[in-house]
Amino acid sequence: MSEQDIKVPDLGGADEVEVIEILVSAGDSVAEEDPILTVESDKASVELPAPAAGTIGAISVKVGDKVREGDVVGTINAGGGGGSAEAPAEADKSEAAEEAPATEVPASGGSRTETVKVPGLDGFDNVPVIELNVREGDTVAADDPLVTVESDKATMEIPSPFAGTIDKLLVKEGDALSEGDSLVEMTVTEAGGSAPEEQAPASQPAAAKADTGTAAKPDRQPAEAPAQTSQEVPSPGAKVHAGPAVRKVARELGADLTLIKGSGPKGRIVKEDVESYIKQQLQKVQSGGAVSGGAGIPSVKLPDFSQFGEIEREAMSRLHLATANNMQRNWLNVPHVTQFDDADITDLESYRKGLKAEGEKRGVKMTPLPFLLKACARALADLPQFNVSLDMERKELVHKRYIHIGIAVDTPAGLMVPVIRDVDKKGLWELAQEAAELAAKARDKKLKPAEMQGACFTITSLGGIGGTAFTPIVNAPEVAILGISKAAMKPVWDGGAFQPRLMLPLSLSYDHRAVNGADAARFTTRLSQLLGDIRHLLL
Ligand code: CAO
């Protein structure tokens, strides 16, 4: 056993390359030539191989680091490790170890012997061992499963609290285990094995397959995975069990391994899983699948409704389908919060009513909507964090130096959202006229696509219909939408008495990735101020 550096080999002419994936961690057992990490130049991605079989001592680079030929990226304690070129990178060391010779304790700093005991099984006793995940002589990393036990409620893997070598298995399949029973004796490597207390979370069982909602939970932090049925997928960010070759395929196909359910032993992802995942995604796209369960969520299964009574089926219109897809896309992509407030529009309404005669002369009806447009334009100018879009791919905020506002229009054919451009530069009559024209065009299905594009913000007014509040869905990539409900007379305390005031309910939904709650409260407060005294619009 000797510790040796893992160096970046000849990069075939590339000068500096970026580390894009680390495939092993300290304590992992590898065979010679097993990939350690993947680097990428502007021409190709290359896996750096282990210079010898052994146990990884340390990895000294991280994803994103730039390395050159000869740079040291980690250390390996040569002499042990797996013998298979396909040895898994992170998970399922037991499989790799089946093919590996018994490994000595890495020489990076001594070793000690520990007896691993069964952790708390959430009150369960005498839980039978259904599978031994390791054999004597195997090298394991901390967290690798040692044995799998199954109660009548859940299947759990008991993970190793330490990295090291299994000296002696103290249980066999069929044995009934309870908390405190001795499980294995192992030689713990210092690199991966700290004091048992510090390792406690790793020694908790991981419920691999819960049969009911009352799956056994460990005493402290469980690493509990949901029941894996045919409809379910792992959650993003979950630990991925896949070998380097599979990771490579996934990378090449742009598949996120955390979203793929593994069909291999112990949920390990195999190449076929990646391929069938990609196939599924393509089918979804081709069938416009967002309505039927996009974003990796299971679709809603329909019963045969005719068993309950007479039914009739009708094809959804293209507008309905487009709206449904948009709503679902926005609902799933945008973390929504809705801020409620009431604006006192008593004075605004008396002013608006005073405009009736002039409106008749002009042939334009002055509804509350133009005031709302004007107030929103001012609030967007005052709080420009609302006049943005998020570009998550480029990790950028797009600030807009224009103020175009969409108005949701209810039409017999469905919902349409024409856009009024440069609202900040237009007067109330102009806005009243344009809103009426666009709403009429929407109802007559005469809107051009360009007239429905480019909005920074949307107003959806149900005030002419009724209701006290609602939670509108943000029209992404906009980051906020204002819902208006029906104004109503309410008693408002003026410090000395209750006064009857006409209060307009505001419901501002916003994308919490772009806007924080305090700014949302500032926005509705500013709107209330502007609508409460429209002279503020002149300032
Ligand atoms: N409170 C009380 N009364 C209100 C009001 C409010 N917040 N907003 C409008 N009204 C009144 C108007 O003053 C008008 O009354 P009068 O006829 O007595 O003057 C009446 O309600 C009807 O107004 P309107 O709806 O014709 O005009 P508008 O400018 O307020 O709205 C438009 C125009 C296009 C927004 C509206 O017609 C519309 O389609 N609203 C529905 C939008 C929608 O479906 N949103 C949901 C999207 S998500 O599913």
Side-chain angles (χ1 to χ4, degrees), residues 323 327 345 349 352-353 356 365-370 372 407-411 414-418 432 435-436 438-440 443 458-466 470 472-473 481 484-488 502-505:
T323 305
M327 291 295 176
I345 58 163
E349 271 302 277
R352 185 180 74 86
K353 287 203 173 111
K356 202 168 172 210
K365 186 171 160 191
M366 183 64 79
T367 65
L369 186 63
L372 291 166
I407 45 170
V409 178
D410 178 35
T411 80
L415 179 69
M416 301 227 193
V417 188
L438 286 170
R443 291 187 181 113
T458 295
I459 297 177
T460 173
S461 174
L462 299 177
I465 304 169
F470 62 111
I473 297 177
I481 180 168
I484 301 292
S485 296
K486 193 173 181 66
L502 186 63
M503 304 304 288
L504 180 75

Side-chain angles (χ1 to χ4, degrees), residues 1-6 22-37 48-61 73-82 88-90 93 103-108 139-141 163-164 189-193:
M1 290 273 287
S2 63
E3 186 177 275
Q4 75 183 72
D5 288 339
I6 305 170
I22 295 180
L23 304 166
V24 294
S25 37
D28 279 0
S29 166
V30 292
E32 188 176 348
E33 295 293 315
D34 269 1
I36 301 295
L37 45 89
L48 301 193
T55 309
I56 300 295
I59 292 294
S60 51
V61 289
V73 296
T75 57
I76 183 165
N77 300 299
E90 275 183 39
K93 304 300 173 318
T103 309
E104 284 179 334
V105 176
S108 62
T139 303
V140 294
T189 60
E190 290 210 331

Side-chain angles (χ1 to χ4, degrees), residues 36 61 72 104 135 195 203 244 271 288 321 358 366 421:
I36 301 295
V61 289
V72 174
E104 284 179 334
R135 293 189 309 190
S203 71
K271 211 169 131 205
L321 203 57
E358 190 179 345
M366 183 64 79
R421 305 194 120 65

